[in-house]
PDB file of all heavy atoms in Angstrom:
ATOM      1  N   TYR A   1       0.852  -1.184   0.000  1.00 98.00           N
ATOM      2  CA  TYR A   1       0.000   0.000   0.000  1.00 98.00           C
ATOM      3  C   TYR A   1       0.891   1.238   0.000  1.00 98.00           C
ATOM      4  O   TYR A   1       1.995   1.238   0.568  1.00 98.00           O
ATOM      5  CB  TYR A   1      -0.912   0.026   1.229  1.00 98.00           C
ATOM      6  CG  TYR A   1      -2.112  -0.886   1.123  1.00 98.00           C
ATOM      7  CD1 TYR A   1      -2.076  -2.178   1.640  1.00 98.00           C
ATOM      8  CD2 TYR A   1      -3.286  -0.459   0.505  1.00 98.00           C
ATOM      9  CE1 TYR A   1      -3.175  -3.013   1.546  1.00 98.00           C
ATOM     10  CE2 TYR A   1      -4.391  -1.293   0.413  1.00 98.00           C
ATOM     11  CZ  TYR A   1      -4.327  -2.570   0.934  1.00 98.00           C
ATOM     12  OH  TYR A   1      -5.417  -3.395   0.828  1.00 98.00           O
ATOM     13  N   CYS A   2       0.394   2.304  -0.635  1.00 98.00           N
ATOM     14  CA  CYS A   2       1.097   3.582  -0.600  1.00 98.00           C
ATOM     15  C   CYS A   2       0.076   4.699  -0.466  1.00 98.00           C
ATOM     16  O   CYS A   2      -1.118   4.493  -0.671  1.00 98.00           O
ATOM     17  CB  CYS A   2       1.968   3.783  -1.836  1.00 98.00           C
ATOM     18  SG  CYS A   2       1.051   4.118  -3.359  1.00 98.00           S
ATOM     19  N   SER A   3       0.539   5.875  -0.132  1.00 98.00           N
ATOM     20  CA  SER A   3      -0.368   6.993   0.098  1.00 98.00           C
ATOM     21  C   SER A   3      -0.937   7.521  -1.206  1.00 98.00           C
ATOM     22  O   SER A   3      -0.349   7.361  -2.285  1.00 98.00           O
ATOM     23  CB  SER A   3       0.370   8.120   0.820  1.00 98.00           C
ATOM     24  OG  SER A   3       1.233   8.800  -0.073  1.00 98.00           O
ATOM     25  N   ASP A   4      -2.090   8.183  -1.106  1.00 98.00           N
ATOM     26  CA  ASP A   4      -2.668   8.806  -2.292  1.00 98.00           C
ATOM     27  C   ASP A   4      -1.775   9.914  -2.824  1.00 98.00           C
ATOM     28  O   ASP A   4      -1.787  10.207  -4.027  1.00 98.00           O
ATOM     29  CB  ASP A   4      -4.085   9.311  -2.011  1.00 98.00           C
ATOM     30  CG  ASP A   4      -4.164  10.340  -0.898  1.00 98.00           C
ATOM     31  OD1 ASP A   4      -3.164  10.535  -0.158  1.00 98.00           O
ATOM     32  OD2 ASP A   4      -5.241  10.956  -0.747  1.00 98.00           O
ATOM     33  N   LYS A   5      -0.963  10.512  -1.967  1.00 98.00           N
ATOM     34  CA  LYS A   5      -0.038  11.557  -2.419  1.00 98.00           C
ATOM     35  C   LYS A   5       1.017  10.984  -3.358  1.00 98.00           C
ATOM     36  O   LYS A   5       1.445  11.648  -4.312  1.00 98.00           O
ATOM     37  CB  LYS A   5       0.633  12.231  -1.226  1.00 98.00           C
ATOM     38  CG  LYS A   5      -0.334  12.920  -0.282  1.00 98.00           C
ATOM     39  CD  LYS A   5      -1.127  14.015  -0.974  1.00 98.00           C
ATOM     40  CE  LYS A   5      -2.056  14.741  -0.009  1.00 98.00           C
ATOM     41  NZ  LYS A   5      -2.923  15.732  -0.712  1.00 98.00           N
ATOM     42  N   ASP A   6       1.451   9.749  -3.087  1.00 98.00           N
ATOM     43  CA  ASP A   6       2.428   9.112  -3.974  1.00 98.00           C
ATOM     44  C   ASP A   6       1.817   8.834  -5.344  1.00 98.00           C
ATOM     45  O   ASP A   6       2.451   9.067  -6.379  1.00 98.00           O
ATOM     46  CB  ASP A   6       2.935   7.813  -3.354  1.00 98.00           C
ATOM     47  CG  ASP A   6       3.754   8.038  -2.095  1.00 98.00           C
ATOM     48  OD1 ASP A   6       4.355   9.115  -1.967  1.00 98.00           O
ATOM     49  OD2 ASP A   6       3.780   7.137  -1.235  1.00 98.00           O
ATOM     50  N   VAL A   7       0.601   8.325  -5.362  1.00 98.00           N
ATOM     51  CA  VAL A   7      -0.069   8.071  -6.636  1.00 98.00           C
ATOM     52  C   VAL A   7      -0.319   9.387  -7.377  1.00 98.00           C
ATOM     53  O   VAL A   7      -0.208   9.450  -8.610  1.00 98.00           O
ATOM     54  CB  VAL A   7      -1.377   7.296  -6.419  1.00 98.00           C
ATOM     55  CG1 VAL A   7      -2.187   7.200  -7.707  1.00 98.00           C
ATOM     56  CG2 VAL A   7      -1.076   5.891  -5.890  1.00 98.00           C
ATOM     57  N   GLU A   8      -0.614  10.430  -6.644  1.00 98.00           N
ATOM     58  CA  GLU A   8      -0.804  11.745  -7.261  1.00 98.00           C
ATOM     59  C   GLU A   8       0.473  12.187  -7.977  1.00 98.00           C
ATOM     60  O   GLU A   8       0.425  12.745  -9.083  1.00 98.00           O
ATOM     61  CB  GLU A   8      -1.210  12.757  -6.200  1.00 98.00           C
ATOM     62  CG  GLU A   8      -1.534  14.135  -6.752  1.00 98.00           C
ATOM     63  CD  GLU A   8      -2.087  15.055  -5.677  1.00 98.00           C
ATOM     64  OE1 GLU A   8      -1.590  15.013  -4.539  1.00 98.00           O
ATOM     65  OE2 GLU A   8      -3.023  15.819  -5.989  1.00 98.00           O
ATOM     66  N   LYS A   9       1.632  11.928  -7.364  1.00 98.00           N
ATOM     67  CA  LYS A   9       2.907  12.271  -8.002  1.00 98.00           C
ATOM     68  C   LYS A   9       3.081  11.481  -9.305  1.00 98.00           C
ATOM     69  O   LYS A   9       3.525  12.027 -10.316  1.00 98.00           O
ATOM     70  CB  LYS A   9       4.073  11.957  -7.057  1.00 98.00           C
ATOM     71  CG  LYS A   9       4.160  12.828  -5.820  1.00 98.00           C
ATOM     72  CD  LYS A   9       5.300  12.338  -4.929  1.00 98.00           C
ATOM     73  CE  LYS A   9       5.325  13.047  -3.600  1.00 98.00           C
ATOM     74  NZ  LYS A   9       6.370  12.494  -2.701  1.00 98.00           N
ATOM     75  N   ALA A  10       2.739  10.197  -9.259  1.00 98.00           N
ATOM     76  CA  ALA A  10       2.873   9.365 -10.455  1.00 98.00           C
ATOM     77  C   ALA A  10       1.960   9.861 -11.569  1.00 98.00           C
ATOM     78  O   ALA A  10       2.374   9.961 -12.732  1.00 98.00           O
ATOM     79  CB  ALA A  10       2.556   7.909 -10.112  1.00 98.00           C
ATOM     80  N   ILE A  11       0.723  10.181 -11.234  1.00 98.00           N
ATOM     81  CA  ILE A  11      -0.222  10.690 -12.231  1.00 98.00           C
ATOM     82  C   ILE A  11       0.306  11.973 -12.863  1.00 98.00           C
ATOM     83  O   ILE A  11       0.162  12.206 -14.066  1.00 98.00           O
ATOM     84  CB  ILE A  11      -1.600  10.912 -11.588  1.00 98.00           C
ATOM     85  CG1 ILE A  11      -2.223   9.569 -11.204  1.00 98.00           C
ATOM     86  CG2 ILE A  11      -2.528  11.685 -12.526  1.00 98.00           C
ATOM     87  CD1 ILE A  11      -3.452   9.691 -10.341  1.00 98.00           C
ATOM     88  N   GLY A  12       0.948  12.794 -12.064  1.00 98.00           N
ATOM     89  CA  GLY A  12       1.497  14.057 -12.552  1.00 98.00           C
ATOM     90  C   GLY A  12       2.568  13.881 -13.603  1.00 98.00           C
ATOM     91  O   GLY A  12       2.843  14.811 -14.381  1.00 98.00           O
ATOM     92  N   GLN A  13       3.160  12.696 -13.677  1.00 98.00           N
ATOM     93  CA  GLN A  13       4.176  12.438 -14.691  1.00 98.00           C
ATOM     94  C   GLN A  13       3.559  12.091 -16.054  1.00 98.00           C
ATOM     95  O   GLN A  13       4.264  12.025 -17.059  1.00 98.00           O
ATOM     96  CB  GLN A  13       5.111  11.328 -14.211  1.00 98.00           C
ATOM     97  CG  GLN A  13       5.942  11.756 -13.008  1.00 98.00           C
ATOM     98  CD  GLN A  13       6.885  10.672 -12.518  1.00 98.00           C
ATOM     99  OE1 GLN A  13       7.166   9.695 -13.221  1.00 98.00           O
ATOM    100  NE2 GLN A  13       7.373  10.831 -11.306  1.00 98.00           N
ATOM    101  N   GLY A  14       2.251  11.819 -16.084  1.00 98.00           N
ATOM    102  CA  GLY A  14       1.525  11.820 -17.355  1.00 98.00           C
ATOM    103  C   GLY A  14       1.362  10.517 -18.094  1.00 98.00           C
ATOM    104  O   GLY A  14       0.904  10.511 -19.247  1.00 98.00           O
ATOM    105  N   ASP A  15       1.688   9.362 -17.463  1.00 98.00           N
ATOM    106  CA  ASP A  15       1.567   8.101 -18.197  1.00 98.00           C
ATOM    107  C   ASP A  15       0.887   7.040 -17.327  1.00 98.00           C
ATOM    108  O   ASP A  15       1.393   5.929 -17.154  1.00 98.00           O
ATOM    109  CB  ASP A  15       2.952   7.613 -18.642  1.00 98.00           C
ATOM    110  CG  ASP A  15       2.888   6.511 -19.688  1.00 98.00           C
ATOM    111  OD1 ASP A  15       1.829   6.344 -20.315  1.00 98.00           O
ATOM    112  OD2 ASP A  15       3.912   5.817 -19.874  1.00 98.00           O
ATOM    113  N   VAL A  16      -0.286   7.386 -16.811  1.00 98.00           N
ATOM    114  CA  VAL A  16      -1.082   6.475 -15.988  1.00 98.00           C
ATOM    115  C   VAL A  16      -2.431   6.303 -16.679  1.00 98.00           C
ATOM    116  O   VAL A  16      -3.176   7.270 -16.849  1.00 98.00           O
ATOM    117  CB  VAL A  16      -1.258   7.018 -14.556  1.00 98.00           C
ATOM    118  CG1 VAL A  16      -2.136   6.091 -13.725  1.00 98.00           C
ATOM    119  CG2 VAL A  16       0.101   7.200 -13.883  1.00 98.00           C
ATOM    120  N   PHE A  17      -2.738   5.057 -17.090  1.00 97.00           N
ATOM    121  CA  PHE A  17      -3.918   4.796 -17.918  1.00 97.00           C
ATOM    122  C   PHE A  17      -4.842   3.764 -17.290  1.00 97.00           C
ATOM    123  O   PHE A  17      -4.399   2.840 -16.602  1.00 97.00           O
ATOM    124  CB  PHE A  17      -3.492   4.284 -19.300  1.00 97.00           C
ATOM    125  CG  PHE A  17      -2.979   5.356 -20.217  1.00 97.00           C
ATOM    126  CD1 PHE A  17      -1.661   5.779 -20.139  1.00 97.00           C
ATOM    127  CD2 PHE A  17      -3.818   5.951 -21.148  1.00 97.00           C
ATOM    128  CE1 PHE A  17      -1.184   6.773 -20.979  1.00 97.00           C
ATOM    129  CE2 PHE A  17      -3.354   6.947 -21.992  1.00 97.00           C
ATOM    130  CZ  PHE A  17      -2.034   7.361 -21.910  1.00 97.00           C
ATOM    131  N   VAL A  18      -6.126   3.944 -17.565  1.00 95.00           N
ATOM    132  CA  VAL A  18      -7.129   2.933 -17.249  1.00 95.00           C
ATOM    133  C   VAL A  18      -7.706   2.444 -18.567  1.00 95.00           C
ATOM    134  O   VAL A  18      -7.846   3.216 -19.518  1.00 95.00           O
ATOM    135  CB  VAL A  18      -8.239   3.500 -16.338  1.00 95.00           C
ATOM    136  CG1 VAL A  18      -9.042   4.588 -17.041  1.00 95.00           C
ATOM    137  CG2 VAL A  18      -9.155   2.390 -15.835  1.00 95.00           C
ATOM    138  N   LYS A  19      -7.986   1.133 -18.630  1.00 87.00           N
ATOM    139  CA  LYS A  19      -8.519   0.544 -19.843  1.00 87.00           C
ATOM    140  C   LYS A  19     -10.042   0.514 -19.796  1.00 87.00           C
ATOM    141  O   LYS A  19     -10.636   0.374 -18.735  1.00 87.00           O
ATOM    142  CB  LYS A  19      -8.010  -0.888 -20.006  1.00 87.00           C
ATOM    143  CG  LYS A  19      -6.581  -1.024 -20.477  1.00 87.00           C
ATOM    144  CD  LYS A  19      -5.678   0.084 -20.122  1.00 87.00           C
ATOM    145  CE  LYS A  19      -4.269  -0.350 -19.854  1.00 87.00           C
ATOM    146  NZ  LYS A  19      -3.586   0.540 -18.942  1.00 87.00           N
ATOM    147  N   ILE A  20     -10.670   0.607 -20.952  1.00 85.00           N
ATOM    148  CA  ILE A  20     -12.127   0.696 -21.025  1.00 85.00           C
ATOM    149  C   ILE A  20     -12.644  -0.397 -21.943  1.00 85.00           C
ATOM    150  O   ILE A  20     -12.222  -0.497 -23.102  1.00 85.00           O
ATOM    151  CB  ILE A  20     -12.569   2.076 -21.544  1.00 85.00           C
ATOM    152  CG1 ILE A  20     -11.953   3.200 -20.684  1.00 85.00           C
ATOM    153  CG2 ILE A  20     -14.086   2.186 -21.559  1.00 85.00           C
ATOM    154  CD1 ILE A  20     -12.193   4.589 -21.226  1.00 85.00           C
ATOM    155  N   ASN A  21     -13.555  -1.228 -21.441  1.00 78.00           N
ATOM    156  CA  ASN A  21     -14.154  -2.254 -22.289  1.00 78.00           C
ATOM    157  C   ASN A  21     -15.439  -1.714 -22.920  1.00 78.00           C
ATOM    158  O   ASN A  21     -15.721  -0.514 -22.867  1.00 78.00           O
ATOM    159  CB  ASN A  21     -14.402  -3.543 -21.491  1.00 78.00           C
ATOM    160  CG  ASN A  21     -15.361  -3.336 -20.331  1.00 78.00           C
ATOM    161  OD1 ASN A  21     -16.128  -2.376 -20.300  1.00 78.00           O
ATOM    162  ND2 ASN A  21     -15.319  -4.244 -19.363  1.00 78.00           N
ATOM    163  N   VAL A  22     -16.232  -2.594 -23.518  1.00 64.00           N
ATOM    164  CA  VAL A  22     -17.411  -2.134 -24.257  1.00 64.00           C
ATOM    165  C   VAL A  22     -18.444  -1.463 -23.349  1.00 64.00           C
ATOM    166  O   VAL A  22     -19.297  -0.707 -23.831  1.00 64.00           O
ATOM    167  CB  VAL A  22     -18.076  -3.315 -24.998  1.00 64.00           C
ATOM    168  CG1 VAL A  22     -17.152  -3.834 -26.090  1.00 64.00           C
ATOM    169  CG2 VAL A  22     -18.438  -4.438 -24.035  1.00 64.00           C
ATOM    170  N   ASP A  23     -18.371  -1.712 -22.053  1.00 70.00           N
ATOM    171  CA  ASP A  23     -19.333  -1.096 -21.131  1.00 70.00           C
ATOM    172  C   ASP A  23     -18.971   0.336 -20.778  1.00 70.00           C
ATOM    173  O   ASP A  23     -19.760   1.033 -20.134  1.00 70.00           O
ATOM    174  CB  ASP A  23     -19.435  -1.924 -19.849  1.00 70.00           C
ATOM    175  CG  ASP A  23     -19.969  -3.323 -20.112  1.00 70.00           C
ATOM    176  OD1 ASP A  23     -20.813  -3.460 -21.007  1.00 70.00           O
ATOM    177  OD2 ASP A  23     -19.532  -4.262 -19.417  1.00 70.00           O
ATOM    178  N   GLY A  24     -17.764   0.773 -21.168  1.00 74.00           N
ATOM    179  CA  GLY A  24     -17.343   2.132 -20.855  1.00 74.00           C
ATOM    180  C   GLY A  24     -16.933   2.285 -19.403  1.00 74.00           C
ATOM    181  O   GLY A  24     -16.780   1.310 -18.660  1.00 74.00           O
ATOM    182  N   ILE A  25     -16.737   3.530 -18.983  1.00 83.00           N
ATOM    183  CA  ILE A  25     -16.362   3.823 -17.597  1.00 83.00           C
ATOM    184  C   ILE A  25     -17.637   3.967 -16.779  1.00 83.00           C
ATOM    185  O   ILE A  25     -18.362   4.953 -16.910  1.00 83.00           O
ATOM    186  CB  ILE A  25     -15.517   5.106 -17.502  1.00 83.00           C
ATOM    187  CG1 ILE A  25     -14.158   4.910 -18.194  1.00 83.00           C
ATOM    188  CG2 ILE A  25     -15.290   5.478 -16.047  1.00 83.00           C
ATOM    189  CD1 ILE A  25     -13.259   6.121 -18.117  1.00 83.00           C
ATOM    190  N   GLN A  26     -17.907   2.970 -15.989  1.00 85.00           N
ATOM    191  CA  GLN A  26     -19.050   3.041 -15.094  1.00 85.00           C
ATOM    192  C   GLN A  26     -18.787   2.150 -13.896  1.00 85.00           C
ATOM    193  O   GLN A  26     -17.894   1.299 -13.912  1.00 85.00           O
ATOM    194  CB  GLN A  26     -20.328   2.599 -15.806  1.00 85.00           C
ATOM    195  CG  GLN A  26     -20.263   1.208 -16.406  1.00 85.00           C
ATOM    196  CD  GLN A  26     -21.549   0.842 -17.113  1.00 85.00           C
ATOM    197  OE1 GLN A  26     -22.561   0.577 -16.478  1.00 85.00           O
ATOM    198  NE2 GLN A  26     -21.519   0.844 -18.442  1.00 85.00           N
ATOM    199  N   ARG A  27     -19.536   2.349 -12.838  1.00 89.00           N
ATOM    200  CA  ARG A  27     -19.352   1.573 -11.621  1.00 89.00           C
ATOM    201  C   ARG A  27     -19.826   0.142 -11.845  1.00 89.00           C
ATOM    202  O   ARG A  27     -20.944  -0.091 -12.295  1.00 89.00           O
ATOM    203  CB  ARG A  27     -20.139   2.212 -10.470  1.00 89.00           C
ATOM    204  CG  ARG A  27     -19.832   1.611  -9.106  1.00 89.00           C
ATOM    205  CD  ARG A  27     -20.538   2.384  -8.010  1.00 89.00           C
ATOM    206  NE  ARG A  27     -20.283   3.819  -8.116  1.00 89.00           N
ATOM    207  CZ  ARG A  27     -19.143   4.403  -7.742  1.00 89.00           C
ATOM    208  NH1 ARG A  27     -18.179   3.674  -7.219  1.00 89.00           N
ATOM    209  NH2 ARG A  27     -18.992   5.698  -7.866  1.00 89.00           N
ATOM    210  N   LYS A  28     -18.942  -0.804 -11.542  1.00 91.00           N
ATOM    211  CA  LYS A  28     -19.334  -2.197 -11.647  1.00 91.00           C
ATOM    212  C   LYS A  28     -20.320  -2.531 -10.531  1.00 91.00           C
ATOM    213  O   LYS A  28     -20.238  -1.997  -9.428  1.00 91.00           O
ATOM    214  CB  LYS A  28     -18.107  -3.096 -11.593  1.00 91.00           C
ATOM    215  CG  LYS A  28     -17.148  -2.876 -12.765  1.00 91.00           C
ATOM    216  CD  LYS A  28     -16.041  -3.890 -12.778  1.00 91.00           C
ATOM    217  CE  LYS A  28     -15.019  -3.564 -13.863  1.00 91.00           C
ATOM    218  NZ  LYS A  28     -15.586  -3.572 -15.205  1.00 91.00           N
ATOM    219  N   ASN A  29     -21.233  -3.411 -10.847  1.00 88.00           N
ATOM    220  CA  ASN A  29     -22.296  -3.749  -9.916  1.00 88.00           C
ATOM    221  C   ASN A  29     -21.814  -4.755  -8.867  1.00 88.00           C
ATOM    222  O   ASN A  29     -22.220  -5.903  -8.829  1.00 88.00           O
ATOM    223  CB  ASN A  29     -23.495  -4.323 -10.679  1.00 88.00           C
ATOM    224  CG  ASN A  29     -24.687  -4.545  -9.784  1.00 88.00           C
ATOM    225  OD1 ASN A  29     -24.867  -3.860  -8.764  1.00 88.00           O
ATOM    226  ND2 ASN A  29     -25.516  -5.512 -10.127  1.00 88.00           N
TER     227      ASN A  29
END
């Protein structure tokens, strides 16, 4: 586990991706 601040730093570097299937970005049930 790491802090949200660490992940925020990683996101700031610009190469953090989430993949999207045919259902798109939505909350899984």
Side-chain angles (χ1 to χ4, degrees):
Y1 282 94
C2 72
S3 75
D4 60 348
K5 299 300 182 185
D6 293 333
V7 172
E8 184 173 40
K9 292 176 187 176
I11 292 169
Q13 293 180 16
D15 194 18
V16 178
F17 283 83
V18 65
K19 284 28 146 207
I20 305 173
N21 61 20
V22 294
D23 297 326
I25 294 181
Q26 57 181 287
R27 190 174 309 283
K28 297 187 186 299
N29 187 28

